[in-house]
Amino acid sequence: MLQDVADLKRKLHRIIYKSRDKSIKGAGEYPYPRMLFFHETSHQGTGQFHTHLIAEKLPVRLNTQVEMEVLFHKRLPHKVKALSKWKSIDIQRINQQDDDYKRISSYLGKQTSLELIVLDPFNSDLSARKQ
């Protein structure tokens, strides 16, 4: 699963900017939006894993509900084999308001326990940006 998420993240970077991040040696010119990945098993008893992605604001050309739905429903499933072609992908905007932060925090932590930590520390962008 970690390799599948890394593949998704690489392909998202390529689609979003079509070039590499210059802060990475030998890369392109744009800073990528930071992304957080959370993995959990289905609460419906199937035991299937699924992933939640939280991303910073994307470039203007992609930063609408319609463009994000086209990206995740039409473009990415052809490029990323781990994306379900039969299950729905739910896309929601998170506004910078306390209610939205509390709602998303509660939602992402609902299946966390001492045995299961849902945050993916390997693929998530956790370090602070250099200013």
Side-chain angles (χ1 to χ4, degrees):
M1 181 170 56
L2 294 175
Q3 291 173 339
D4 289 340
V5 172
D7 181 51
L8 168 65
K9 185 176 178 181
R10 273 191 311 276
K11 288 182 177 150
L12 271 172
H13 283 173
R14 288 182 190 145
I15 288 171
I16 291 169
Y17 289 114
K18 297 184 174 95
S19 64
R20 308 252 183 236
D21 185 338
K22 276 196 176 177
S23 67
I24 301 169
K25 187 176 180 177
E29 61 184 278
Y30 302 104
Y32 293 130
R34 287 181 290 189
M35 298 178 190
L36 297 174
F37 294 91
F38 299 84
H39 309 297
E40 59 186 32
T41 56
S42 173
H43 64 280
Q44 298 170 341
T46 63
Q48 290 184 325
F49 276 98
H50 61 275
T51 299
H52 299 277
L53 164 63
I54 297 179
E56 284 184 314
K57 186 175 180 179
L58 299 174
V60 174
R61 68 181 172 79
L62 287 174
N63 202 22
T64 67
Q65 185 73 24
V66 170
E67 289 302 321
M68 290 305 296
E69 288 180 7
V70 167
L71 177 64
F72 278 91
H73 294 149
K74 302 225 185 288
R75 292 178 71 188
L76 280 172
H78 298 290
K79 297 177 181 295
V80 180
K81 66 180 176 183
L83 280 179
S84 176
K85 291 164 185 56
W86 57 276
K87 284 191 148 190
S88 65
I89 297 174
D90 184 22
I91 299 167
Q92 297 180 23
R93 180 178 296 275
I94 301 172
N95 297 306
Q96 292 182 338
Q97 298 167 349
D98 285 343
D99 287 351
D100 269 5
Y101 287 145
K102 288 177 188 171
R103 180 178 53 84
I104 196 68
S105 166
S106 172
Y107 180 74
L108 292 172
K110 73 183 183 301
Q111 293 185 9
T112 302
S113 68
L114 291 175
E115 294 82 33
L116 177 64
I117 299 172
V118 297
L119 176 68
D120 176 349
F122 301 103
N123 291 304
S124 295
D125 303 315
L126 301 173
S127 60
R129 283 232 167 102
K130 296 176 186 175
Q131 297 293 331

